[in-house]
């Protein structure tokens, strides 16, 4: 799809940059559970401002990442998605700001 983009969009500063978003940020048509079961099956009606800004600059949001329940813990676990582990070594944390 990026290769088929009009030439004027290829000059955007973030053109084609894949971006992951925390599960606290609304993406149209997707749930933003924040680790709460009561927020399941309630897709956002529109993109959050940060998603709109990223897309306007050419970024490509491609996934949502797990967070602790309501983002109140250092660990990355919640009742909805469970524990996030390092995919290369499940004995380790996933690292980063969401784990």
């Amino acid at each position: 799809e990026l290769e088929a983009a009009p030439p004027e969009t290829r000059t955007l500063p973030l053109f084609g940059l894949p971006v992951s978003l925390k599960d606290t940020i609304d993406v149209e048509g997707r749930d933003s559970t924040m680790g709460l079961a009561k927020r399941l099956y309630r897709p956002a009606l529109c993109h959050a401002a940060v998603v709109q800004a990223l897309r306007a600059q050419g970024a490509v949001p491609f996934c949502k990442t797990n967070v602790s329940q309501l983002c109140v813990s250092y660990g990355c676990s919640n009742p909805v998605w469970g524990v996030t582990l390092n995919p290369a070594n499940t004995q380790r944390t996933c690292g980063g700001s969401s784990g």
Side-chain angles (χ1 to χ4, degrees):
E1 289 180 27
L2 292 173
E3 290 173 353
E8 60 273 8
T9 62
R10 293 182 187 203
T11 60
L12 293 171
L14 301 179
F15 179 75
L17 180 71
V19 177
S20 64
L21 303 164
K22 290 185 182 286
D23 192 32
T24 57
I25 299 173
D26 283 345
V27 174
E28 184 178 336
R30 304 286 182 212
D31 294 342
S32 294
T33 69
M34 293 187 240
L36 299 174
K38 73 178 190 175
R39 292 184 56 101
L40 281 168
Y41 312 113
R42 296 181 183 185
L45 300 177
C46 61
H47 292 313
V50 67
V51 176
Q52 292 175 23
L54 286 165
R55 289 174 51 101
Q57 296 301 312
V60 181
F62 74 101
C63 71
K64 294 186 81 171
T65 59
N66 199 14
V67 294
S68 64
Q69 195 171 30
L70 294 174
C71 296
V72 296
S73 172
Y74 292 114
C76 195
S77 174
N78 64 61
V80 176
W81 305 111
V83 179
T84 300
L85 299 171
N86 184 316
N89 182 347
T90 56
Q91 299 303 307
R92 295 179 177 245
T93 179
C94 56
S97 63
S98 293

